[in-house]
């Protein structure tokens, strides 16, 4: 394989993993924007989505129905999580909320470990479309499906937030919760909806991810989760286009580092990017700076 | 009159420490505590050092630190490399190894503290998490210490006596720190950084101080661990380990040193005593985190906690 | 009348927030032991002036001199140590520390025992801690807070919290004390008591006080000199009588 072809293959790999990061990052950024909470358990929703769809597919259910039910299941989980664990702490300190979110993440991982055992399970991939051939480059259907579905969802989400009434409510709650409440916006409902959408997207990410890698495990969500968070920070947390941009940049950087520098140090480099970014431009590429009022 | 109370307090603390030591030591020489339980007591002491030191940054300074295992790993590896490459008499080599482990972790703690000057809360938590992961990743790639395969035949210098007195030193020094002007400055940053600055507190300096103090003891704990196990693996120092220390800290109460000691002891003994629940350990930890936070900080549960709390007269 | 020592001198002070000119060319001179009032309607930029004086916001232009030394560009804790202490409009106490610890905290910035002396409890630590404790108690006596010294700050009633904030500021050993609406939320009786105490504090500690207040009448009663701000600009400056009769002030206050 020539160097150029190899490079293009890496770019496609990067776009693939990048679109998954972007989908997860969307959930992070929406929840952070509205609830001011790093939902550590967000990454684990990917895993829940993957396992739900595995169980449903194994019953012989058609993939479309299995996918829809998994998304609904995750959305319900996100809704419950917010109501039970996060809402009571909305007025408490940020640190206590963060600790609860870590607890949630571990709760999901470990309960799935007990139910399904810690061993990885094969996932019956269901995306079987003809591969795409451009010159000497072959792109498998998983890859372009992941990319197309992700980009489609991002566009829909962006339109939803910009154009619809609920979307506008979300933006105003993110801006100023108190003011939004005074304007007659149902803040609780808006926050719930944000969790539902965010976790739903994570479920989609989980199913796409499983189709690409065909092996799933109870801890599969934690690293992509952390990386998606980094993507959200990179793009500017709270910003929808920022999350997408950050997701693609991160996917690309990670893939190229793995291919050309060192596969073992890829994570280290990703984490270093995060630290440098946070120290020098904590607002991210597309985010706004906020200063504490005295 | 008051001067005497200061001194009395000091004498009492040292007296209790010595009495505890003699108590455990005699139980051990009488064989009532067998070598298996001696190992558990040593592990408890190491966990006390880790928990109390994490409490300085997370409980008193109020910054959630998720990379404590990283400091521990740094101290463990550097001290192990030292004592494997140097041949002195153990009674000189071991304290030196402990000191080097602590100092190296302290240096890393200083580096990690630099972002604290600009960031707080969630972002800082993520930075400490990233730091812990970086340490583990780097260790995986270092050939000298065996990478993922592990680093073996480290001299087993760690004894009960060493561990006990280091844990005692960590506890007593942390307590003194908290009751000194430096400690009050650290707490005031947690309470209100802007007001602290306005009261003449150089908040940047005290944030660094808290991180340095905390990481030093995490490094020493790592060194103790290395010379107790005789074998190190990067995988041991993963995020789970940092979370485990955090759980001990949270269960004992953020900003409560005595609580840290008790919960570190309980959470070390429990999985050992109840082997059948060992598989559920992390699940139990997760529930502990969520329930502790809800019970402590959610207004809905406030009444629940008051049942356990003795009524204070100041609330009347 | 202007023969006494100048404590604070502010020249042509201004600050921009983005494109907004929040405070513009402010001049102010505060003398030793003077009680000075800074008044103006909501949003006039009073608190912004405090934030510039204490280093929270660096001014865009102008100079601030404390006893002749230029202090702009210094950090808040440096300015505090040089002798400007403050309270906050929306009380910022260390809520989970005791009343005494709140005061010990600011006193501690002047103690000089180091970290190792502290953690090893060396004799110097004992000596300085005892001295600080004595002083803290004496300061708490000014506002009759001694009996509450072991309570958590958050458990104090609202009025006492405001007073504790003043005590904490006194612990900084200020030359100039800035009080940001100290009587906010108090009833008339409490307000009157507080104002009397503020006057006592000024005389007893020999410090100058700059007071932000909403209530014109109150300021007129106790301040020796007053500056009126409106939309970030200085509207008037003078003695209470001069301010009362100033046509600009009258129209700004009555015009609304």
């Amino acid at each position: 394989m020539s160097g150029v072809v190899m490079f293009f293959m890496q770019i496609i790999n990067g776009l693939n993993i990048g679109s998954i990061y972007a989908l997860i990052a969307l959930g992070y950024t929406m929840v952070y924007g509205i609830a001011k909470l790093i939902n550590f358990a967000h990454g684990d929703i990917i895993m829940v989505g993957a396992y739900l769809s595995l169980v449903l597919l194994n019953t012989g259910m058609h993939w479309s129905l299995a996918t829809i039910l998994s998304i609904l299941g995750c959305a319900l989980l996100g809704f419950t999580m917010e109501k039970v664990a996060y809402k009571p702490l909305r007025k408490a300190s940020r640190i206590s909320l963060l600790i609860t979110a870590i607890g949630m993440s571990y709760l999901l991982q470990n309960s799935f470990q007990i139910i399904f055992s810690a061993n990885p399970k094969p996932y019956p991939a269901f995306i079987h479309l003809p591969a795409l051939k451009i010159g000497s480059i072959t792109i498998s259907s998983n890859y372009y499906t992941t990319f197309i579905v992700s980009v489609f969802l991002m566009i829909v989400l962006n339109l939803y937030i910009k154009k619809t009434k609920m979307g506008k409510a979300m933006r105003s709650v993110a801006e100023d919760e108190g003011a939004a409440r005074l304007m007659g916006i149902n803040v609780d409902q808006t926050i719930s909806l944000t969790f539902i959408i965010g976790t739903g997207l994570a479920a989609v990410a989980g199913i796409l991810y499983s189709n690409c890698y065909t092996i799933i495990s109870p801890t599969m969500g934690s690293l992509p989760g952390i990386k998606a968070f980094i993507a959200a920070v990179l793009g500017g947390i709270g910003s929808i286009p920022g999350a997408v941009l950050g997701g693609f940049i991160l996917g690309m950087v990670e893939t190229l580092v793995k291919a050309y520098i060192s596969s073992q140090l890829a994570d280290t480099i990703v984490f270093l990017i995060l630290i440098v970014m946070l120290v020098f431009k904590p607002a991210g590429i597309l985010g706004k700076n906020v200063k504490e009022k005295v | 009159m008051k001067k005497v109370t200061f001194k009395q307090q000091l004498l009492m603390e040292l007296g209790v420490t010595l009495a505890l030591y003699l108590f455990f030591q005699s139980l051990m020489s009488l064989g009532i505590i067998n070598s298996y339980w001696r190992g558990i007591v040593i592990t408890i002491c190491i966990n006390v050092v880790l928990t109390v030191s994490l409490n300085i940054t997370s409980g008193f300074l109020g910054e959630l630190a998720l990379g404590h295992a990283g400091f521990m790993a740094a101290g463990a590896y550097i001290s192990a490399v030292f004592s494997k490459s140097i041949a002195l008499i153990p009674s000189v080599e071991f304290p030196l190894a402990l000191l080097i482990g602590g100092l190296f972790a302290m240096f890393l703690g200083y580096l990690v503290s630099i972002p604290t000057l600009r960031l707080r809360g969630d972002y800082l938590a993520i930075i400490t998490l990233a730091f812990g992961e970086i340490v583990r990743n780097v260790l995986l790639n270092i050939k000298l210490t065996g990478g993922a395969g592990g680093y073996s035949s480290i001299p087993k210098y760690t004894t009960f006596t060493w561990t006990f007195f280091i844990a005692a030193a960590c506890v007593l020094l942390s307590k003194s720190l908290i009751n000194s002007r430096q400690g009050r400055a650290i707490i005031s940053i947690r309470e209100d950084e802007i007001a602290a600055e306005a009261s003449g507190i150089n908040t940047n300096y005290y944030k660094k101080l808290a991180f340095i103090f905390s990481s030093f003891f995490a490094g020493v704990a790592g060194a103790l661990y290395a010379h107790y196990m005789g074998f190190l693996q990067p995988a041991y120092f993963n995020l789970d380990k940092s979370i485990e220390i955090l759980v001990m800290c949270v269960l004992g109460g953020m900003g409560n040193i005595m609580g840290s000691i008790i919960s570190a002891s309980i959470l070390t003994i429990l999985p050992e005593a109840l082997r059948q629940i060992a598989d559920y350990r992390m699940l139990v930890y997760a529930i502990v985190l969520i329930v502790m936070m809800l019970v402590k900080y959610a207004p809905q549960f406030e009444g629940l906690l008051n049942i356990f709390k003795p009524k204070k007269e100041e609330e009347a | 009348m202007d023969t006494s020592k100048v404590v604070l001198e502010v020249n042509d002070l201004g600050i921009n927030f983005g494109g907004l000119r929040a405070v513009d060319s402010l001049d102010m001179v505060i003398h030793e032991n003077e009680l000075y009032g800074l008044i103006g309607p909501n949003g006039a930029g009073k608190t912004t002036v405090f934030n510039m004086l204490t280093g929270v916001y660096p001014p865009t232009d102008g100079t601030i001199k404390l006893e002749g030394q230029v202090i702009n560009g210094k950090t808040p804790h440096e300015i505090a140590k040089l002798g400007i202490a403050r309270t906050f409009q929306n009380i910022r106490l260390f809520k989970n520390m005791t009343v005494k610890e709140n005061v010990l905290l600011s006193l501690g910035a002047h103690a000089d025992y180091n970290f190792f002396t502290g953690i090893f409890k060396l004799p110097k630590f004992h000596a300085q801690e005892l001295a600080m404790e004595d002083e803290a108690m004496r300061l708490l006596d000014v506002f009759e807070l001694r009996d509450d010294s072991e309570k958590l700050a958050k458990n104090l009633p609202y009025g006492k919290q405001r007073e504790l904030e003043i005590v904490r500021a006194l612990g900084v050993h200020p030359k100039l004390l800035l009080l940001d609406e100290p009587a906010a939320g108090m009833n008339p009786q409490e307000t009157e008591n507080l104002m009397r105490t503020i006057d006592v504090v000024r005389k007893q500690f020999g410090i100058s006080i700059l007071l932000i207040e909403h209530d014109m009448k109150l300021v007129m009663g106790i301040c020796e000199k007053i500056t009126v701000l409106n939309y970030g600009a200085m509207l008037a400056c003078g003695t209470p009588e001069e301010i009362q009769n100033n046509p600009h002030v009258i129209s700004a206050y009555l015009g609304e």
Side-chain angles (χ1 to χ4, degrees):
Chain A
M1 214 188 298
S2 79
V4 180
V5 173
M6 164 86 177
F7 181 73
F8 274 104
M9 290 300 289
Q10 296 304 340
I11 293 287
I12 289 162
N13 275 334
L15 285 177
N16 176 56
I17 191 72
S19 46
I20 291 191
Y21 288 160
L23 268 186
I24 311 169
L26 281 176
Y28 262 122
T29 223
M30 286 174 69
V31 166
Y32 191 91
I34 276 194
K36 299 286 173 285
L37 155 75
I38 299 179
N39 184 11
F40 261 92
H42 193 72
D44 301 296
I45 302 285
I46 308 166
M47 177 274 294
V48 176
Y51 272 93
L52 275 181
S53 106
L54 172 77
V55 170
L56 294 173
L57 287 170
N58 281 350
T59 64
M61 192 183 278
H62 189 258
W63 65 266
S64 55
L65 190 59
T67 302
I68 291 171
L69 287 179
S70 312
I71 295 172
L72 289 179
C74 283
L76 181 69
L77 178 64
F79 173 81
T80 320
M81 217 158 66
E82 197 272 330
K83 282 276 178 277
V84 174
Y86 301 152
K87 193 180 167 211
L89 292 169
R90 217 179 280 162
K91 295 252 173 342
S93 70
R94 298 273 280 273
I95 188 167
S96 58
L97 206 56
L98 205 52
I99 291 173
T100 314
I102 293 170
M104 261 304 162
S105 164
Y106 273 74
L107 183 66
L108 288 178
Q109 272 179 35
N110 288 284
S111 41
F112 272 68
Q113 217 159 75
I114 288 164
I115 303 169
F116 293 99
S117 96
N119 301 327
K121 287 205 178 337
Y123 181 88
F126 54 76
I127 301 174
H128 301 297
L129 295 168
L132 200 64
K133 277 202 168 143
I134 308 169
S136 54
I137 300 170
T138 313
I139 305 170
S140 89
S141 60
N142 287 320
Y143 279 43
Y144 66 75
T145 318
T146 302
F147 183 74
I148 292 169
V149 171
S150 311
V151 172
F152 173 75
L153 286 174
M154 289 166 210
I155 293 171
V156 170
L157 182 67
N158 209 23
L159 285 176
Y160 178 79
I161 287 189
K162 285 239 166 83
K163 304 285 181 204
T164 66
K165 206 175 148 199
M166 267 326 280
K168 282 177 188 160
M170 281 181 186
R171 279 193 296 160
S172 55
V173 174
E175 194 84 13
D176 186 338
E177 191 188 312
R181 204 182 288 276
L182 288 176
M183 299 292 289
I185 289 170
N186 187 336
V187 173
D188 288 347
Q189 202 185 323
T190 312
I191 293 180
S192 289
L193 186 69
T194 309
F195 268 85
I196 288 172
I197 295 178
T199 43
L201 290 173
V204 177
I207 292 168
L208 290 170
Y209 188 88
S210 313
N211 264 287
C212 290
Y213 296 90
T214 63
I215 281 198
I216 64 177
S217 74
T219 50
M220 66 184 272
S222 64
L223 205 54
I226 291 173
K227 288 191 181 150
F229 174 76
I230 297 176
V233 169
L234 199 63
I237 203 141
S239 150
I240 302 271
V244 175
L245 184 68
F248 280 116
I249 292 178
L250 199 76
M252 210 61 96
V253 168
E254 189 187 292
T255 315
L256 293 179
V257 168
K258 266 188 185 156
Y260 294 105
I261 301 174
S262 155
S263 65
Q264 281 172 315
L265 285 178
D267 287 349
T268 306
I269 289 172
V270 167
F271 284 125
L272 279 176
I273 291 176
L274 169 81
I275 294 180
V276 169
M277 191 72 194
L278 281 180
V279 171
F280 293 103
K281 198 171 185 316
I285 301 171
L286 299 177
K288 281 181 286 186
N289 261 316
V290 188
K291 234 185 161 179
E292 189 177 1
K293 209 168 176 253
V294 182
Chain B
M1 155 98 197
K2 264 194 179 162
K3 187 133 194 161
V4 184
T5 36
F6 266 130
K7 254 186 203 154
Q8 276 176 346
Q9 203 189 342
L10 193 70
L11 284 176
M12 209 175 77
E13 282 170 353
L14 294 178
V16 168
T17 308
L18 207 63
L20 261 177
Y21 171 72
L22 291 175
F23 173 71
F24 276 111
Q25 189 59 42
S26 50
L27 286 187
M28 280 172 194
S29 31
L30 289 174
I32 298 171
I33 291 183
N34 61 22
S35 67
Y36 170 72
W37 279 95
R38 180 202 301 256
I40 292 173
V41 173
I42 290 178
T43 312
I44 288 176
C45 290
I46 294 177
N47 282 338
V48 164
V49 176
L50 289 168
T51 310
V52 169
S53 61
L54 179 68
N55 216 334
I56 298 294
T57 42
S58 292
F60 292 100
L61 180 65
E63 293 296 357
L64 187 57
L66 300 175
H68 219 53
F71 295 123
M72 185 190 177
Y77 270 90
I78 202 98
S79 68
V81 169
F82 173 80
S83 46
K84 269 185 78 167
S85 51
I86 298 277
L88 297 169
I89 46 166
S91 58
V92 177
E93 187 177 302
F94 186 44
L96 273 178
L98 292 176
L99 189 66
I100 287 172
L103 290 177
F104 182 64
M106 183 171 117
F107 167 71
L108 293 179
Y110 173 77
L111 292 184
V112 173
S113 79
I114 294 172
T116 61
L117 310 184
R118 301 182 55 138
L119 298 170
R120 301 217 62 189
D122 330 23
Y123 277 12
L124 190 71
I126 287 290
I127 286 209
T128 56
L129 185 154
F131 160 79
E133 290 299 292
I134 289 175
V135 169
R136 196 169 55 85
N137 261 306
V138 168
L139 286 174
L140 281 172
N141 286 290
I142 293 181
K143 296 239 160 46
L144 171 72
T145 53
Y151 193 41
S152 54
S153 32
I154 304 159
K156 291 191 176 185
Y157 292 145
T158 301
T159 59
F160 166 71
T161 306
W162 272 109
T163 328
F164 179 85
F165 281 108
I166 286 174
C170 175
V171 168
L172 294 179
L173 293 179
S174 299
K175 267 188 71 190
S176 317
L177 172 67
I178 291 315
N179 291 314
S180 70
R181 70 187 187 96
Q182 284 83 3
R184 285 191 294 266
I186 289 170
I187 300 171
S188 76
I189 296 173
R190 173 191 76 193
E191 293 292 308
D192 192 322
E193 192 172 343
I194 288 169
E197 273 279 332
S199 308
I201 299 301
N202 182 349
T203 53
N204 284 353
Y205 171 82
Y206 289 105
K207 283 179 188 173
K208 282 187 208 154
L209 185 69
F211 266 90
I212 287 172
F213 185 88
S214 164
S215 52
F216 174 80
F217 277 106
V220 173
L224 283 171
Y225 175 79
H227 294 86
Y228 172 61
M229 299 302 287
F231 176 69
L232 293 173
Q233 241 180 338
Y236 177 78
F237 303 99
N238 57 9
L239 183 60
D240 285 8
K241 183 67 194 174
S242 293
I243 299 292
E244 187 185 329
I245 306 167
L246 179 70
V247 172
M248 291 177 180
C249 194
V250 167
L251 184 67
M254 298 285 243
N256 183 341
I257 290 178
M258 205 52 209
S260 285
I261 301 171
I262 294 169
S263 79
S265 310
I266 292 175
L267 289 183
T268 312
I269 293 174
L270 220 54
E272 294 290 339
L274 305 166
R275 280 281 169 199
Q276 57 274 34
I277 68 147
D279 289 345
Y280 296 87
R281 191 175 59 116
M282 288 312 281
L283 185 72
V284 172
Y285 284 178
I287 294 168
V288 165
L289 283 180
I290 299 171
V291 170
M292 281 302 288
M293 288 299 118
L294 285 176
V295 169
K296 234 173 157 178
Y297 299 109
Q300 289 89 324
F301 292 98
E302 225 157 295
L304 200 73
L305 201 66
N306 286 345
I307 303 171
F308 304 110
K309 232 193 241 169
K311 276 211 175 106
K312 279 187 200 157
E313 48 183 326
E314 60 188 54
E315 276 165 352
Chain C
M1 134 187 189
D2 279 348
T3 49
S4 62
K5 211 170 101 193
V6 171
V7 172
L8 184 83
E9 189 181 344
V10 171
N11 274 318
D12 197 29
L13 194 67
I15 187 168
N16 295 340
F17 288 130
L20 188 83
R21 188 81 177 154
V23 171
D24 188 40
S25 56
L26 177 72
D27 295 317
M28 204 158 57
V29 175
I30 300 178
H31 292 90
E32 200 169 28
N33 214 6
E34 195 169 39
L35 185 47
Y36 199 111
L38 184 62
I39 62 174
N42 257 335
K46 301 176 302 254
T47 298
T48 307
V49 170
F50 268 28
N51 284 337
M52 285 192 282
L53 294 182
T54 51
V56 177
Y57 300 149
T60 315
D61 35 40
T63 54
I64 305 166
K65 280 188 201 161
L66 180 69
E67 294 189 326
Q69 185 188 359
V70 177
I71 58 166
N72 18 345
K74 290 197 186 296
T75 59
H77 72 266
E78 286 168 341
I79 292 176
K81 275 196 189 148
L82 285 172
I84 301 185
R86 73 178 288 184
T87 66
F88 296 88
Q89 201 172 338
N90 48 344
I91 311 181
R92 283 176 174 270
L93 284 173
F94 307 124
K95 294 199 183 76
N96 294 303
M97 294 169 83
T98 65
V99 167
K100 188 170 77 185
E101 283 169 339
N102 267 271
V103 187
L104 285 177
L105 185 272
S106 59
L107 287 170
H110 294 284
D112 64 354
Y113 70 78
N114 66 25
F115 170 71
F116 292 103
T117 312
I119 61 170
F120 292 114
K121 296 187 175 171
L122 301 179
K124 191 173 177 187
F125 162 83
H126 290 179
Q128 292 198 349
E129 281 289 319
L130 286 175
M132 284 197 288
E133 199 151 315
D134 271 1
E135 190 182 349
M137 285 312 202
R138 270 185 281 120
L139 287 175
L140 286 170
D141 276 338
V142 175
F143 286 94
E144 288 161 11
L145 281 164
R146 178 186 278 262
D147 293 340
D148 299 317
S149 66
E150 295 302 327
K151 282 187 188 169
L152 292 184
K154 67 176 176 191
N155 292 335
L156 284 184
Y158 180 82
K160 286 196 165 182
Q161 291 197 9
R162 284 219 169 271
E163 292 173 346
L164 175 58
E165 232 197 344
I166 299 177
V167 178
R168 186 181 67 191
L170 289 172
V172 176
H173 295 166
K175 293 161 185 149
L176 172 66
L177 176 59
L178 311 182
L179 301 177
D180 198 344
E181 300 205 16
M186 290 187 175
N187 66 34
Q189 183 57 45
E190 287 171 331
T191 305
E192 209 188 306
N193 287 341
L194 178 72
M195 288 302 157
R196 207 173 301 133
T197 322
I198 287 175
D199 206 40
V200 169
V201 164
R202 169 173 69 120
K203 286 176 183 138
Q204 190 180 333
F205 293 88
I207 57 177
S208 317
I209 293 180
L210 175 61
L211 183 77
I212 288 184
E213 209 16 277
H214 223 62
D215 186 350
M216 269 274 237
K217 232 172 42 206
L218 208 116
V219 184
M220 296 294 174
I222 60 166
C223 290
E224 288 148 355
K225 218 171 162 196
I226 292 167
T227 286
V228 186
L229 276 184
N230 199 17
Y231 295 113
M234 194 164 68
L235 193 66
C237 174
T239 62
E241 296 79 49
E242 287 164 0
I243 296 295
Q244 251 160 353
N245 301 321
N246 186 309
H248 297 295
V249 177
I250 293 170
S251 72
Y253 266 78
L254 300 178
E256 293 184 337

